[in-house]
Amino acid sequence: MNVSLATFPFLSATLLSCIVGLVTILLIPGRRKDLIRWVSACFSGISLVLSIYLFAAYDRTQGGLQFVEKITWVKSLGIQYFNAADGFDLPLILLTGIVHFTGVLSMWELERRVKEFFALYFVLVTGVFGFFMSMDLFFLFVWYDVSLFPMYPLIVIWGSTRKEYGGMKLFLYLLFGSALILPAMIYLFVQSGGVGFDIPSLIQPGTFSPFQQKFAFLFLYLGFGILAGVWPFHTWSPSGHVAAPTSVSMVHAGVLMKLGAFGVLRVAIFLCPLGWEYWAPWMAVLATIGIIYGVLVGLVQKDLKFVVAYSSVSHMGIVGLGLATVTAEGLSGAVFQMFAHGIMTALLFSSVGYFHDRTDTKSIPELGGMSRIMPVASTYFIVGALAGMGVPGFANFWAELTVILSSLRVYPISGVTAILALVVSALFMLRVVQQTFYGATNERFAKLPDVTPGLGVPRIILIATLLLFGFFPSLMLDLIHASVFPFMEGLPK
C-alpha cells in the first residue's frame, strides 16, 4: 500500500470530524436531546474551524493541489483514497463548513426525533465534504451518492408542504442524474486504458480523443446539471426546497446544488475540455433560459419559500453562464457565485424557516407587517434579499459582476438578458419584502416573540460572511485565480 500524506491530514480531519460526530450522536440515547444538540454543534464547529484553516493556509503564490493525502486502496483498478484541494475546492469546502455549523444552530429548537435528524444530517454533510476534496473519480462518485441518500428521509420525515411528493421527486431526479454520470465515468476509465481514476492523471493532454470528450461531456454535464438545477431539469429543486426542513433547505440550496455545478467543473470540464468548448454555446442557452425562467416564475409565487427557491434557480443560472463562457473570468465568477449564493440562500431559508416555525405559514399575503412584530428576524431576511439583488457590499455583487462582464464579451445577448433578469429579480424581491414585512399587520401574529440572540447567531455568521467577502473580494478572488489561470493556460489550443 502506497501512502502519501501531508504533514497533517487536515482534509481527512475535516471528514473525520463529521464521521466521529455521527458515531457519537448514534451512541447517545435519543432522550438526551440537549446533549445531542451540543455534540452536533461541537463537531460541526470543529469542521468549520478546519475549513477556515484550510482556506487561510492555502499557499496562493504556489497554487496547484495542496494538502495532498493519497493512499492506494485497490491497486489493480487504480482506485485511491486521494484527497487534495486547490482554488476550486476550498471556497466550496469553506461554504460547507459554514452552512453545516449554522444549519445545526438553526435547528436548535427541533424536538421530534432529534437523534435521527442530526445523524442523517451528518451523513449528508460528510458526503458533501468528501465530494469537494476527492481527486479520485471512484471516491468522488461514492461521496456524491452518500450525500444524496439522506435527502429523502430528511424531507419525508421532518419536512412540510407535500413532503412525500417533494422527497420522491428529488430522489428520482437525482437517481437519474447518477445513472448518467456513472456510465460516463466508466467510459472514460476504459478509454484511458484503465490507468485508474486519478483525476490529475486523467487530465493529461492526449488521454482522450476529441470525440470521446464531446461524447462523455454531454452525459457528465446532464448528470451533474440535474443536481445543479439546470433548466429544464430543475423542477425537483423548488418542490424539494419547499418540502425540506430549515437546515436541510439551507444545505440543499446552499451546498447540495453546488455539488452539481462543481461536478460539471471538476469532472466534465477538467476531463473533457474539448467537449466543454464544443457544448459551451448550448450551456449558455440553457443557463440564460434558467435565469429568465426562475425570475418569471418567482414573480407569481405566493409562498415565501417558493420565491427563494425559484430565485435559486435563477442565480444558479448565473453559475451556468459563467461556466459556459470558457474564460478565466467566467470560471472565477462561477466559483465565486457558488460560494456567495450558497451563503445568501442559506440565510434566506434560515430566516423563512424561523417565520414558518412561529406562524405555521409561508404565505406572503398572511405574513403582512412582520417588521413591526419581529423586527430583528425581518432584518435578517431583508439583508439576505439585498445580497440576492446584487447590492454592492455583499459577496454576490462581485460574483455576478464578474460573470456578467465575461458573458457580455462572449455571449452579448445572454449577458444583456441576464442583466435585465437581475433587475426584474430585484424588483420582485422588493415587492416580496414590502408585502411581507411592511404591509398591513396580521393581528394573529401580533404577540409572537422576535428572534432571540442565541437563535440569531447563525444568521449573523452568514451575514458577516457575505459582508466580509463583499468588502474584501480579493480574499476569495485571489484564491480562485491561483487555480483558474494555470488551468486555462493548460487547455488545448
Side-chain angles (χ1 to χ4, degrees):
M1 176 179 288
N2 297 320
V3 178
S4 175
L5 294 176
T7 51
F8 183 83
F10 284 100
L11 293 172
S12 291
T14 308
L15 273 175
L16 278 174
S17 68
C18 295
I19 295 170
V20 175
L22 166 64
V23 173
T24 308
I25 290 169
L26 292 175
L27 292 175
I28 299 173
R31 65 180 183 281
R32 303 286 304 275
K33 296 178 182 177
D34 281 341
L35 182 58
I36 293 170
R37 293 186 187 101
W38 281 107
V39 166
S40 302
C42 177
F43 282 98
S44 61
I46 292 172
S47 66
L48 172 60
V49 170
L50 288 169
S51 63
I52 293 173
Y53 172 80
L54 287 163
F55 184 87
Y58 182 81
D59 187 342
R60 301 169 188 221
T61 57
Q62 180 183 343
L65 292 176
Q66 298 180 23
F67 313 109
V68 176
E69 306 160 2
K70 188 184 291 188
I71 301 173
T72 302
W73 187 44
V74 182
K75 189 174 183 179
S76 59
L77 293 175
I79 298 175
Q80 308 171 90
Y81 173 78
F82 182 8
N83 287 340
D86 61 10
F88 293 109
D89 307 271
L90 289 170
L92 283 305
I93 291 172
L94 178 63
L95 168 68
T96 307
I98 294 171
V99 175
H100 182 199
F101 181 65
T102 55
V104 169
L105 298 184
S106 294
M107 293 301 286
W108 203 256
E109 295 181 318
L110 179 71
E111 290 292 339
R112 187 164 62 95
R113 302 177 72 171
V114 176
K115 175 177 177 175
E116 292 89 341
F117 177 85
F118 282 112
L120 286 167
Y121 184 68
F122 269 69
V123 173
L124 188 160
V125 176
T126 302
V128 172
F129 269 128
F131 182 86
F132 285 141
M133 55 184 68
S134 180
M135 288 294 155
D136 182 276
L137 268 185
F138 177 86
F139 270 98
L140 185 141
F141 186 73
V142 169
W143 289 125
Y144 181 79
D145 282 339
V146 168
S147 67
L148 300 186
F149 153 72
M151 289 302 297
Y152 181 76
L154 282 169
I155 290 176
V156 171
I157 298 174
W158 290 275
S160 61
T161 315
R162 302 179 73 196
K163 57 185 182 182
E164 291 84 3
Y165 169 78
M168 180 55 72
K169 188 174 183 180
L170 176 145
F171 182 76
L172 292 176
Y173 264 77
L174 302 189
L175 188 67
F176 179 63
S178 293
L180 291 173
I181 296 167
L182 182 60
M185 286 185 173
I186 294 173
Y187 173 77
L188 289 176
F189 172 75
V190 172
Q191 295 303 323
S192 71
V195 296
F197 293 91
D198 182 329
I199 293 176
S201 299
L202 290 173
I203 63 175
Q204 297 303 316
T207 304
F208 304 113
S209 70
F211 171 79
Q212 290 165 351
Q213 294 189 37
K214 293 173 187 174
F215 179 73
F217 183 90
L218 182 60
F219 279 79
L220 293 169
Y221 173 71
L222 293 178
F224 285 118
I226 289 174
L227 185 54
V230 169
W231 186 89
F233 309 108
H234 66 283
T235 60
W236 63 269
S237 168
S239 55
H241 290 337
V242 172
T246 299
S247 67
V248 177
S249 291
M250 292 169 67
V251 173
H252 194 180
V255 176
L256 211 63
M257 292 181 81
K258 311 307 176 293
L259 252 70
F262 187 77
V264 171
L265 173 61
R266 177 63 83 192
V267 182
I269 291 177
F270 265 59
L271 297 184
C272 309
L274 295 177
W276 176 35
E277 293 174 357
Y278 180 79
W279 291 107
W282 291 103
M283 291 170 61
V285 170
L286 295 181
T288 306
I289 294 174
I291 293 169
I292 301 168
Y293 177 87
V295 170
L296 294 181
V297 177
L299 273 172
V300 297
Q301 298 304 312
K302 301 295 184 186
D303 184 303
L304 198 54
K305 247 187 169 181
F306 265 121
V307 170
V308 180
Y310 279 105
S311 165
S312 288
V313 172
S314 182
H315 283 104
M316 286 303 292
I318 299 287
V319 174
L321 188 58
L323 295 177
T325 60
V326 197
T327 63
E329 295 78 12
L331 279 189
S332 300
V335 176
F336 201 169
Q337 174 72 351
M338 289 185 213
F339 176 83
H341 175 260
I343 299 294
M344 179 270 291
T345 199
L347 173 61
L348 288 175
F349 276 119
S350 171
S351 301
V352 174
Y354 183 82
F355 289 118
H356 184 221
D357 291 343
R358 296 297 183 280
T359 63
D360 198 30
T361 182
K362 303 185 293 291
S363 169
I364 294 171
E366 289 186 56
L367 292 170
M370 294 305 289
S371 65
R372 288 187 285 279
I373 300 169
M374 301 180 188
V376 178
S378 301
T379 300
Y380 294 142
F381 184 92
I382 293 169
V383 171
L386 290 173
M389 293 176 206
V391 172
F394 295 101
N396 307 70
F397 169 77
W398 298 104
E400 292 173 5
L401 180 68
T402 308
V403 170
I404 288 174
L405 289 177
S406 176
S407 62
L408 283 172
R409 289 203 310 273
V410 183
Y411 307 111
I413 295 176
S414 293
V416 171
T417 305
I419 292 172
L420 294 175
L422 289 174
V423 171
V424 175
S425 171
L427 292 176
F428 97 67
M429 193 58 86
L430 284 174
R431 178 186 64 84
V432 169
V433 168
Q434 195 279 328
Q435 292 181 349
T436 308
F437 302 107
Y438 296 102
T441 303
N442 188 332
E443 294 304 320
R444 186 157 61 97
F445 308 133
K447 297 189 182 301
L448 290 177
D450 202 350
V451 63
T452 62
L455 289 176
V457 168
R459 286 89 179 178
I460 292 171
I461 292 172
L462 294 168
I463 292 172
T465 305
L466 290 172
L467 291 173
L468 174 66
F469 291 102
F471 280 98
F472 304 101
S474 59
L475 289 175
M476 182 63 72
L477 286 172
D478 288 350
L479 172 72
I480 299 171
H481 288 165
S483 294
V484 165
F485 287 110
F487 170 69
M488 293 301 296
E489 290 169 2
L491 288 179
K493 305 299 180 187

